[in-house]
Amino acid sequence: MKFKLVLINGYFGQRLPTSRSMDVDEIIKFFHYFGHVCEKMDVHELANGLVDENYIYLISSHQNPGIKKYLNDIVVLKFLDKQSNVLPSIKNFVAHENKGAQAIISAGWADSFVQQAYYYDEVTTQFPKVAKKPSGSGSVGVSLVKDKDALRSSLKKMFLLDYNLDDLIFMVKELIKHTLLRKKLSAEHTLYFKKYNPYILQDYIPNLTGDFKVLVFGKKVYVLTREVRKNDFRASGSGLFSFKEPSTELLNFALSVKNKLKTPMVSLDIVSDNGIYKCIEYQCTHFGPYAQFEAKYYYEYTQGAQWIKKDNDVTIEYLFAEAVDDYLKDHD
């Protein structure tokens, strides 16, 4: 197989810290090891050129909002009619740092995902719920709301800093029209031009003591246990991390979700609800590799349907190339 590794100023995410690129030359070396051709490509060349259907384009996302928007436009518009030529898939790429997209994608998978819904205005629903901004990590922009008033208050705080200069100018102009110029604005006008902030409401699971950050590369799995902070309901960003022996059921579940998402690799946030595992969030590209870097062991699913515990002696670059190779073998 022939690959194009699409780079942003030489960057392909991610190592730690987030701004540090994976070693691109190492990735290319390992693709060659698995019998593939892999070439570097600058993102501007892809944006302003043509897609070569002889290649699969490997594209990592980004956490800079401007670059992320740029990449989303490229992935959607360049590959909408050539979806077999890009990894991760368009859906999984758009879902990166986009909890709203994840809510839409996972809506039909109640057996695997904690149910969540995507809104832009006030709704009538059953409480309590977990309210989330579409973007953000480490429990930022996540709050527990117990009624409609609490939801309204939480959303105001959540999006307070999201107002930009253009929003403020528009609001001032509307105020001038309505007051100083005494121009009566219709209810339709007000509703149409109102500032909206899309958000997610996720089912609340009470009494959780923690969750699992699980990274799956092909058939290799890394598991980090995260405890909930004192007087809180969130484990993400708590810093209360440990590596405990995972159950076979957790490993099986993580691999099944990766396969359901049809992705070479994935980062999963998983909870156990009365012994039943459910995913609450996921990323298929550009996810934090802390669990892989710090784990002493990983768990590999073998052809004999057995999980084998192995010393963690492989690099993130090797795992990336191997996961893509493994994915293509399973999807020939």
Side-chain angles (χ1 to χ4, degrees), residues 118-258:
Y118 196 26
Y119 302 105
Y120 72 92
D121 204 358
E122 289 189 10
V123 295
T124 300
T125 187
Q126 294 293 319
F127 291 96
K129 294 285 187 183
V130 176
K132 298 181 176 183
K133 291 181 67 172
S135 61
S137 59
S139 79
V140 175
V142 178
S143 61
L144 176 62
V145 293
K146 299 183 178 181
D147 53 42
K148 198 166 186 176
D149 289 337
L151 173 60
R152 189 179 297 114
S153 175
S154 178
L155 292 177
K156 284 181 180 178
K157 293 177 183 177
M158 198 178 289
F159 292 103
L160 181 63
L161 298 179
D162 285 6
Y163 283 86
N164 57 39
L165 183 58
D166 289 339
D167 294 326
L168 297 176
I169 291 173
F170 177 79
M171 291 167 64
V172 170
K173 286 181 177 179
E174 292 295 286
L175 183 63
I176 291 173
K177 288 179 187 177
H178 191 66
T179 56
L180 299 181
L181 300 180
R182 299 186 181 279
K183 181 177 180 180
K184 186 174 178 59
L185 302 178
S186 68
E188 291 86 355
H189 176 97
T190 301
L191 185 64
Y192 188 91
F193 286 106
K194 177 182 175 182
K195 170 74 173 179
Y196 292 104
N197 294 298
Y199 65 97
I200 298 91
L201 287 181
Q202 188 175 68
D203 287 353
Y204 171 60
I205 302 175
N207 304 317
L208 289 177
T209 59
D211 68 8
F212 305 95
K213 168 66 75 174
V214 183
L215 308 186
V216 188
F217 297 88
K219 295 179 176 63
K220 291 182 170 66
V221 179
Y222 296 80
V223 181
L224 174 70
T225 300
R226 307 185 298 192
E227 295 180 22
V228 169
R229 289 170 289 197
K230 188 176 180 180
N231 299 321
D232 202 345
F233 70 99
R234 297 165 295 189
S236 178
S238 70
L240 303 174
F241 303 154
S242 60
F243 291 94
K244 299 177 182 179
E245 196 75 16
S247 67
T248 299
E249 291 77 15
L250 175 59
L251 296 173
N252 287 338
F253 175 77
L255 187 61
S256 73
V257 174
K258 190 214 73 150

Side-chain angles (χ1 to χ4, degrees), residues 2 5 44 85 195 218 226 322:
K2 297 167 70 175
L5 199 65
H44 294 105
N85 290 98
K195 170 74 173 179
R226 307 185 298 192
E322 183 189 48

